[in-house]
Structure formats: structure tokens, C-alpha cells
Amino acid sequence: MNIVVCVKHVPDATADRRFESDNTVDRVGVDGLLSELDEYAIEQALQIKEKQEGDDTTVTALCIGPEGAADAVRKALQMGADSGVHVSDEAIAGSDSLATSLVIAEAIKKVGQDHGQVDLVVCGMASTDGAMSVVPAMLAERLGLPQVTFASVVESQGDQVRVKRDGDSATEVIGATLPIVLSVTDQTGEARYPSFKGIMAAKKKPFETLSLSDIGVDAGTVGLDAAYSTVEETTERPPRSAGEIVTDEDGSGAKALAEFLASKKFI
Amino acid sequence: MSEILVLVDHLDGNVRKTTNELLTLARRLGEPSAVFIGPEAQAAEATEGLKKFGAEKIYVVDDAEIKGYLVAPKAEVLAQLVEKASPGSVLIPSSAEGKEIAGRLAIKTDSGVITDAVDITDGGVTTQSVFAGSFTVPAKVSKGTPIITVKPNSAAPEEVAGAGAVEQFAPSISEAAKTAQIVASQPRQSTGRPELTEAAIVVSGGRGTGGNFEPVEGLADALGAAVGASRAAVDSGWKPHTFQVGQTGKTVSPQLYVANGISGAIQHRAGMQTSKTIVAVNKDEEAPIFELVDFGVVGDLHTVLPALTEEVNKRKG
Ligand SMILES: Cc1cc2nc3c(=O)[nH]c(=O)nc-3n(C[C@H](O)[C@H](O)[C@H](O)COP(=O)(O)OP(=O)(O)OC[C@H]3O[C@@H](n4cnc5c(N)ncnc54)[C@H](O)[C@@H]3O)c2cc1C
Ligand SMILES: Nc1ncnc2c1ncn2[C@@H]1O[C@H](COP(=O)(O)O)[C@@H](O)[C@H]1O
């Protein structure tokens, strides 16, 4: 079985994230890392691989992003992915979700051509920077594959996959036959840490860096200039003005809070 | 004026408040056309309400062929309606499903998509709140038919009578759209409290509850509020995941958010930072949640909340 897991390199959420003067996300000045939500995707891909009989299943980690984004692929290899593909090209900078999904889809096709049909594409539920949660659905649309997304529990047997999805009004069980695009939530269970052995082994694993022309994407169809929407500006939200803080002594806290809520007409 | 398609969010014909908000925003852009996907009988029940909030047209799409499949058929329905009506924009509720429908629709119609808008101007400029609510971003779709998903509580629904002309629309759903099948569905148990994302007041509990949510629920009921939880509380099994507020849970933007025994991690903030008024009760005066609050009490929630609840009930009389 041929599994591709899509991993994004994002600015650290606990750092001071900001934008460049052209309103694109600053991906260089802020420390980056593998999007935490994609660790769950790697974990599920590895678990599915481990359940397969025989040892001909491979997990390829795929990342689209600038030079530094190769770190996300490396971390996936350390966790246990078998090979890595990094698509990096100046022209990709500032791409929107439509362009990103196009590049990922074409890269997946390339993996398919080189290593045999891709049976399973695994994504995270959202990137921790853009947080759009649209790329997996877009990939399914572009690749013409069934979409099985927001899985909180994943079960697979042979070419059958069943997942649990917590919808707004119901919890659903979704079933589909491979090949599919799967996205998983942080409810699927903790991701493993790279072991020392894993870190050493990762250095010897196949790692391909591809440009747009390698995957047959016209540079004019991606990047900031080709984006389907324009950001007018990015404004930092003014810090909330410091509120009043009281220390509860002998029940005074509840009274003071009630007073506050009443003054705001909540009671 | 062009039509603005609004995908109706409903549960068995009960239209959610978010739909009325979307219809209100749609009126700024053109003439709202509600798209109701579901059985005709349920659509009939929903018609009055949709008219009341300004729907000029109501497309009824019988769901016999759609129900039971995930996302893809709904995107096909909207794509066919875009083709037919050449709308000025398409507005979709910002749920997980809504965003996925929007994503697929954007590719089908070669159009730009903006997700999680919290406002839209009459010129079609959206407002988004990004990086856990720390930046505000105005943006506009520049190609194709703007497809915009809108968060709950983004506009106050306004009643303006619309013509509400009902039109049946029969889509053709491809076999390819029917490949991911819903094999079982367990409707959410009603808690008897307001829906988390729609509630005007949300009272949440975190690890600091120690698993005892009674004080949190007691206050919620006194205030007529929804109950929320941090991921730590959900991971501990104290509340189901549907209660989770934050990056990987629900985003809420109520008039009042009350955080109890919650430290205020960035991922939690991502789901509540845009609340109008924020209040916290926490034992630790250093807890980062206090950086956000309009009013904070340093104290033990197990004593503060019951006393507050009593005070609220007393004042209500
Ligand atoms: C990828 C990712 C996604 C995440 N998504 C989410 C998300 O969607 N939502 C979310 O909430 N978190 C999320 N988290 C987790 C987040 O980082 C925090 O771990 C979590 O929010 C902590 O929950 P907490 O505040 O309840 O617990 P803690 O951080 O342990 O805080 C408990 C607080 O309770 C206080 N306390 C203890 N006892 C009492 C008492 N008796 N009375 C009053 N106060 C008391 C303590 O002082 C402390 O401040 C995510 C993390 C990651 C990595
Ligand atoms: N640049 C990227 N490279 C690789 N995978 C990505 C990229 N962007 C998004 N993805 C995948 O798509 C998922 C959802 O991303 P998003 O739609 O941006 O929230 C992520 O969790 C990744 O699995």
C-alpha cells in the first residue's frame, strides 16, 4: 500500500506570529515547526501501515513550503515515515488554498507515477496557521477521490476504511473504499515521539526536493499574484484593556463578580 | 441586483439562527436566495422563517439522493445553482462541513473562497480574525463567484419580509459524489441548554474543576448559558468533545464568556478570544487567562461559583 501524509510547516503558535509587508504570513522571521495537528495524521498513517500484512507499505511525507519547511518532512521521517518529498519553489510564496491544493494534488500524482498508485492520502484536520480546514476537501475534489474527513477514530481493514466523525448535530460513521483522502483530528490519539533510533534512521531515508516544473505545475497558476482573494491589510488586534481583578476573600469575590455582571446587564 | 445564495443550516427543518444571520448579511450584497437541502415537507415548515429574515427566493432541493453522503453532493448542488443563477456571492455557515463544501465549490466554480468571516461589508469585504484572534484581516475575493463561510454570531439577525418564492431545484448528483457514505448516525443528545456556538453566554470549565462540573453547570443554568470545556477537561473524559472550546473544538463569540479553572492556553484562546465580555475565576493569579479578562476573580471556583449562582438567582428574584 502506498500512503502519502501531507504535513505543513507553520510558524510556532506560541511565538509572536506576524505578517510580512505584503500581508503574507511571516514564515522566516518566526520559528517554524511541523504543524502539531499533522502529527496526528502521521501517527494514523503509521498505525495503518503497521496493521498491513507484509512489508510493502510505504508512508511518504509530503510538504509544500519554503526551504525551511523541509524540517517538517524530516520530523515525519524521524517519527517513522519511509520517505519524504518537499516541493519548494519561489513561485509558490503567498499561495492561497486553491493553489496549495493544486500543488499538493500534482505532487501526489507524481508520487503515484514514480512509486505506484497512491491508495491513501492522510491530512491533518487543519493547519495551525491558516486553520481553514479546506485543503483535504479540495484534494478530494481535485483527485476525484472519496473524502473521509475530520475522523476522530479510524479503523481500516484491507481496502475498507471506517471513521467516526463528530458532526454539529450528530456523530456519524463514514465508510469508504480505498483510495481515499482522509483527515484526522486530535481526538485520534497521541502521536509518537521520534526515538533516538528513529532520528538516526531518518538521515538515511530517501528525501526528494522538487520544483514546480518537476511536478508539471505552471508557475503562473500559483503564488500571491494568482491568488483568488486579496488581503487588504493585517491589523494587530489592540490588546484588551486591562480588566479588574479581585481576590476572593470570605465570599467577596462572588459578590463583586455579581455586581460586575449586573452592571453589564447580564443579570 | 444579483442573487446571493445562502445555504440553509437546519436540523430536520428547524432552521438554525446562523441562517438568519447569513440572510441578514446577504441583504448587504444583493437579494438573498435561501438554498434548502432536505425533504420538501421540512422545507415547507422552514419557509415562513426564511421569508421573515428576507429570503426573496427559496430553492428547495429534495435530499433523497444526497442524504447519507458526505459533503460532495452538497457542493455539486451549489455548483449547479451557481451555474443556473450566476449569484453575486455564496454564503455558507462556517461549520466543518460548511467549510468543506465551500472548498470543493471553489474548485468546481473556479472561484475564490474565504472561510470564517466574522463580518461582510456591502462591498464584499470580509473580516477575519486570525492567529488565535490576535490579528484582524479584511479581505476580498477577486476571482469567480465569492464563496464565503461565515461564523455564528457574526451579525444580529434583522427581520425584513422577503418574497420567499419557492422554487424546486432538481440537481444531478454524480456517482463520484456518493463514494463516502454515512453508514450510521447518532443524533446528538440535547442538553436542554443553548447551542454552544449560538449562545449569548457561555460558561466553561477546565482542569481546575477537578472533574466536578456541577458549579459550572449551576451557574450556566442561572444565566441561561451554554456549557463549554477546555481540552484538558475533555481529554480527562469529564465532558464530550462537542463541549470543547478552542482551536480543535468550537469557536464561540458570545456576549459573555466565563472561564473557570482554565489557564488560558493559546489554543483555548483561539476559540473564545473574540467574546465581547470575558470573565474568569482561577486560583492562580498568574494564569494567562487574566490577561484577557474584563473582570477576574482569584479564588477557588468550588466556592466562588456556587456563591455567585446564589447571588444571580437572588437578583433574578
Ligand atoms: C494542537 C493542539 C490543539 C489544542 N486545542 C485545544 C482546544 O481546542 N481547546 C483547549 O482548551 N485546549 C486546546 N489545547 C490544549 C491547550 O494547550 C491546553 O493544554 C488546555 O487548554 C489546558 O486546559 P486547562 O486550562 O483546563 O488546564 P490547565 O492548563 O491545567 O489549567 C487549569 C487551571 O485551573 C486552575 N485551577 C485549578 N484548581 C482550581 C480551582 N479549584 N479553582 C479555580 N481555578 C483552579 C489552575 O490555576 C490553572 O490555571 C490544544 C493543544 C494542542 C497542542
Ligand atoms: N503547504 C502544505 N503542505 C503539506 N500539507 C498541507 C499544506 N497545507 C495544508 N496541508 C494539509 O492540509 C491540512 C489542512 O490544512 P488547511 O486547509 O490549510 O487548514 C493540513 O493539516 C495538512 O495535512
mmCIF file with all atom_site columns, all heavy atoms in Angstrom, chain A residues 83-96:
data_model
loop_
_atom_site.group_PDB
_atom_site.id
_atom_site.type_symbol
_atom_site.label_atom_id
_atom_site.label_alt_id
_atom_site.label_comp_id
_atom_site.label_asym_id
_atom_site.label_entity_id
_atom_site.label_seq_id
_atom_site.pdbx_PDB_ins_code
_atom_site.Cartn_x
_atom_site.Cartn_y
_atom_site.Cartn_z
_atom_site.occupancy
_atom_site.B_iso_or_equiv
_atom_site.pdbx_formal_charge
_atom_site.auth_seq_id
_atom_site.auth_comp_id
_atom_site.auth_asym_id
_atom_site.auth_atom_id
_atom_site.pdbx_PDB_model_num
ATOM 1  N N   . SER A 1 83 ? 9.710  7.834  3.451  1.00 0.00 ? 83 SER A N   1
ATOM 2  C CA  . SER A 1 83 ? 10.400 8.723  2.520  1.00 0.00 ? 83 SER A CA  1
ATOM 3  C C   . SER A 1 83 ? 9.747  10.089 2.565  1.00 0.00 ? 83 SER A C   1
ATOM 4  O O   . SER A 1 83 ? 8.623  10.236 3.049  1.00 0.00 ? 83 SER A O   1
ATOM 5  C CB  . SER A 1 83 ? 10.365 8.146  1.098  1.00 0.00 ? 83 SER A CB  1
ATOM 6  O OG  . SER A 1 83 ? 9.030  8.040  0.674  1.00 0.00 ? 83 SER A OG  1
ATOM 7  N N   . GLY A 1 84 ? 10.496 11.083 2.056  1.00 0.00 ? 84 GLY A N   1
ATOM 8  C CA  . GLY A 1 84 ? 9.992  12.447 2.129  1.00 0.00 ? 84 GLY A CA  1
ATOM 9  C C   . GLY A 1 84 ? 10.023 13.141 0.779  1.00 0.00 ? 84 GLY A C   1
ATOM 10 O O   . GLY A 1 84 ? 10.910 12.886 -0.043 1.00 0.00 ? 84 GLY A O   1
ATOM 11 N N   . VAL A 1 85 ? 9.022  13.994 0.550  1.00 0.00 ? 85 VAL A N   1
ATOM 12 C CA  . VAL A 1 85 ? 9.002  14.826 -0.646 1.00 0.00 ? 85 VAL A CA  1
ATOM 13 C C   . VAL A 1 85 ? 8.723  16.258 -0.220 1.00 0.00 ? 85 VAL A C   1
ATOM 14 O O   . VAL A 1 85 ? 7.749  16.517 0.502  1.00 0.00 ? 85 VAL A O   1
ATOM 15 C CB  . VAL A 1 85 ? 7.909  14.356 -1.643 1.00 0.00 ? 85 VAL A CB  1
ATOM 16 C CG1 . VAL A 1 85 ? 7.832  15.316 -2.826 1.00 0.00 ? 85 VAL A CG1 1
ATOM 17 C CG2 . VAL A 1 85 ? 8.174  12.942 -2.112 1.00 0.00 ? 85 VAL A CG2 1
ATOM 18 N N   . HIS A 1 86 ? 9.587  17.162 -0.637 1.00 0.00 ? 86 HIS A N   1
ATOM 19 C CA  . HIS A 1 86 ? 9.398  18.567 -0.316 1.00 0.00 ? 86 HIS A CA  1
ATOM 20 C C   . HIS A 1 86 ? 9.296  19.347 -1.622 1.00 0.00 ? 86 HIS A C   1
ATOM 21 O O   . HIS A 1 86 ? 10.219 19.325 -2.419 1.00 0.00 ? 86 HIS A O   1
ATOM 22 C CB  . HIS A 1 86 ? 10.603 19.057 0.526  1.00 0.00 ? 86 HIS A CB  1
ATOM 23 C CG  . HIS A 1 86 ? 10.549 20.514 0.856  1.00 0.00 ? 86 HIS A CG  1
ATOM 24 N ND1 . HIS A 1 86 ? 11.669 21.250 1.144  1.00 0.00 ? 86 HIS A ND1 1
ATOM 25 C CD2 . HIS A 1 86 ? 9.506  21.364 0.933  1.00 0.00 ? 86 HIS A CD2 1
ATOM 26 C CE1 . HIS A 1 86 ? 11.317 22.509 1.397  1.00 0.00 ? 86 HIS A CE1 1
ATOM 27 N NE2 . HIS A 1 86 ? 10.014 22.592 1.273  1.00 0.00 ? 86 HIS A NE2 1
ATOM 28 N N   . VAL A 1 87 ? 8.156  19.976 -1.843 1.00 0.00 ? 87 VAL A N   1
ATOM 29 C CA  . VAL A 1 87 ? 8.017  20.818 -3.033 1.00 0.00 ? 87 VAL A CA  1
ATOM 30 C C   . VAL A 1 87 ? 8.288  22.253 -2.622 1.00 0.00 ? 87 VAL A C   1
ATOM 31 O O   . VAL A 1 87 ? 7.580  22.811 -1.780 1.00 0.00 ? 87 VAL A O   1
ATOM 32 C CB  . VAL A 1 87 ? 6.610  20.698 -3.663 1.00 0.00 ? 87 VAL A CB  1
ATOM 33 C CG1 . VAL A 1 87 ? 6.546  21.517 -4.943 1.00 0.00 ? 87 VAL A CG1 1
ATOM 34 C CG2 . VAL A 1 87 ? 6.259  19.250 -3.924 1.00 0.00 ? 87 VAL A CG2 1
ATOM 35 N N   . SER A 1 88 ? 9.340  22.802 -3.202 1.00 0.00 ? 88 SER A N   1
ATOM 36 C CA  . SER A 1 88 ? 9.770  24.131 -2.808 1.00 0.00 ? 88 SER A CA  1
ATOM 37 C C   . SER A 1 88 ? 10.079 24.920 -4.068 1.00 0.00 ? 88 SER A C   1
ATOM 38 O O   . SER A 1 88 ? 10.795 24.452 -4.941 1.00 0.00 ? 88 SER A O   1
ATOM 39 C CB  . SER A 1 88 ? 11.024 24.001 -1.938 1.00 0.00 ? 88 SER A CB  1
ATOM 40 O OG  . SER A 1 88 ? 11.419 25.271 -1.488 1.00 0.00 ? 88 SER A OG  1
ATOM 41 N N   . ASP A 1 89 ? 9.489  26.098 -4.171 1.00 0.00 ? 89 ASP A N   1
ATOM 42 C CA  . ASP A 1 89 ? 9.693  26.897 -5.372 1.00 0.00 ? 89 ASP A CA  1
ATOM 43 C C   . ASP A 1 89 ? 9.328  28.337 -5.035 1.00 0.00 ? 89 ASP A C   1
ATOM 44 O O   . ASP A 1 89 ? 8.278  28.586 -4.438 1.00 0.00 ? 89 ASP A O   1
ATOM 45 C CB  . ASP A 1 89 ? 8.782  26.364 -6.498 1.00 0.00 ? 89 ASP A CB  1
ATOM 46 C CG  . ASP A 1 89 ? 9.222  26.811 -7.869 1.00 0.00 ? 89 ASP A CG  1
ATOM 47 O OD1 . ASP A 1 89 ? 9.383  28.039 -8.059 1.00 0.00 ? 89 ASP A OD1 1
ATOM 48 O OD2 . ASP A 1 89 ? 9.369  25.941 -8.751 1.00 0.00 ? 89 ASP A OD2 1
ATOM 49 N N   . GLU A 1 90 ? 10.190 29.255 -5.400 1.00 0.00 ? 90 GLU A N   1
ATOM 50 C CA  . GLU A 1 90 ? 9.938  30.678 -5.137 1.00 0.00 ? 90 GLU A CA  1
ATOM 51 C C   . GLU A 1 90 ? 8.512  31.074 -5.523 1.00 0.00 ? 90 GLU A C   1
ATOM 52 O O   . GLU A 1 90 ? 7.858  31.843 -4.832 1.00 0.00 ? 90 GLU A O   1
ATOM 53 C CB  . GLU A 1 90 ? 10.885 31.546 -5.988 1.00 0.00 ? 90 GLU A CB  1
ATOM 54 C CG  . GLU A 1 90 ? 12.348 31.382 -5.646 1.00 0.00 ? 90 GLU A CG  1
ATOM 55 C CD  . GLU A 1 90 ? 12.789 32.412 -4.637 1.00 0.00 ? 90 GLU A CD  1
ATOM 56 O OE1 . GLU A 1 90 ? 12.676 33.609 -4.944 1.00 0.00 ? 90 GLU A OE1 1
ATOM 57 O OE2 . GLU A 1 90 ? 13.221 32.018 -3.534 1.00 0.00 ? 90 GLU A OE2 1
ATOM 58 N N   . ALA A 1 91 ? 8.067  30.526 -6.646 1.00 0.00 ? 91 ALA A N   1
ATOM 59 C CA  . ALA A 1 91 ? 6.776  30.940 -7.208 1.00 0.00 ? 91 ALA A CA  1
ATOM 60 C C   . ALA A 1 91 ? 5.604  30.581 -6.300 1.00 0.00 ? 91 ALA A C   1
ATOM 61 O O   . ALA A 1 91 ? 4.514  31.129 -6.429 1.00 0.00 ? 91 ALA A O   1
ATOM 62 C CB  . ALA A 1 91 ? 6.579  30.306 -8.575 1.00 0.00 ? 91 ALA A CB  1
ATOM 63 N N   . ILE A 1 92 ? 5.822  29.655 -5.351 1.00 0.00 ? 92 ILE A N   1
ATOM 64 C CA  . ILE A 1 92 ? 4.705  29.201 -4.512 1.00 0.00 ? 92 ILE A CA  1
ATOM 65 C C   . ILE A 1 92 ? 4.368  30.216 -3.414 1.00 0.00 ? 92 ILE A C   1
ATOM 66 O O   . ILE A 1 92 ? 3.235  30.241 -2.914 1.00 0.00 ? 92 ILE A O   1
ATOM 67 C CB  . ILE A 1 92 ? 5.032  27.819 -3.887 1.00 0.00 ? 92 ILE A CB  1
ATOM 68 C CG1 . ILE A 1 92 ? 5.204  26.764 -4.983 1.00 0.00 ? 92 ILE A CG1 1
ATOM 69 C CG2 . ILE A 1 92 ? 3.937  27.379 -2.924 1.00 0.00 ? 92 ILE A CG2 1
ATOM 70 C CD1 . ILE A 1 92 ? 5.696  25.422 -4.489 1.00 0.00 ? 92 ILE A CD1 1
ATOM 71 N N   . ALA A 1 93 ? 5.323  31.077 -3.075 1.00 0.00 ? 93 ALA A N   1
ATOM 72 C CA  . ALA A 1 93 ? 5.111  32.007 -1.962 1.00 0.00 ? 93 ALA A CA  1
ATOM 73 C C   . ALA A 1 93 ? 3.802  32.769 -2.094 1.00 0.00 ? 93 ALA A C   1
ATOM 74 O O   . ALA A 1 93 ? 3.469  33.271 -3.160 1.00 0.00 ? 93 ALA A O   1
ATOM 75 C CB  . ALA A 1 93 ? 6.283  32.981 -1.875 1.00 0.00 ? 93 ALA A CB  1
ATOM 76 N N   . GLY A 1 94 ? 3.058  32.834 -1.014 1.00 0.00 ? 94 GLY A N   1
ATOM 77 C CA  . GLY A 1 94 ? 1.813  33.596 -0.993 1.00 0.00 ? 94 GLY A CA  1
ATOM 78 C C   . GLY A 1 94 ? 0.625  32.868 -1.603 1.00 0.00 ? 94 GLY A C   1
ATOM 79 O O   . GLY A 1 94 ? -0.425 33.455 -1.815 1.00 0.00 ? 94 GLY A O   1
ATOM 80 N N   . SER A 1 95 ? 0.786  31.567 -1.875 1.00 0.00 ? 95 SER A N   1
ATOM 81 C CA  . SER A 1 95 ? -0.313 30.801 -2.477 1.00 0.00 ? 95 SER A CA  1
ATOM 82 C C   . SER A 1 95 ? -1.518 30.732 -1.552 1.00 0.00 ? 95 SER A C   1
ATOM 83 O O   . SER A 1 95 ? -1.370 30.651 -0.337 1.00 0.00 ? 95 SER A O   1
ATOM 84 C CB  . SER A 1 95 ? 0.150  29.370 -2.782 1.00 0.00 ? 95 SER A CB  1
ATOM 85 O OG  . SER A 1 95 ? 1.005  29.357 -3.890 1.00 0.00 ? 95 SER A OG  1
ATOM 86 N N   . ASP A 1 96 ? -2.716 30.741 -2.119 1.00 0.00 ? 96 ASP A N   1
ATOM 87 C CA  . ASP A 1 96 ? -3.919 30.528 -1.323 1.00 0.00 ? 96 ASP A CA  1
ATOM 88 C C   . ASP A 1 96 ? -4.258 29.036 -1.310 1.00 0.00 ? 96 ASP A C   1
ATOM 89 O O   . ASP A 1 96 ? -3.513 28.217 -1.852 1.00 0.00 ? 96 ASP A O   1
ATOM 90 C CB  . ASP A 1 96 ? -5.078 31.384 -1.861 1.00 0.00 ? 96 ASP A CB  1
ATOM 91 C CG  . ASP A 1 96 ? -5.424 31.043 -3.312 1.00 0.00 ? 96 ASP A CG  1
ATOM 92 O OD1 . ASP A 1 96 ? -4.829 30.091 -3.859 1.00 0.00 ? 96 ASP A OD1 1
ATOM 93 O OD2 . ASP A 1 96 ? -6.269 31.741 -3.893 1.00 0.00 ? 96 ASP A OD2 1
#
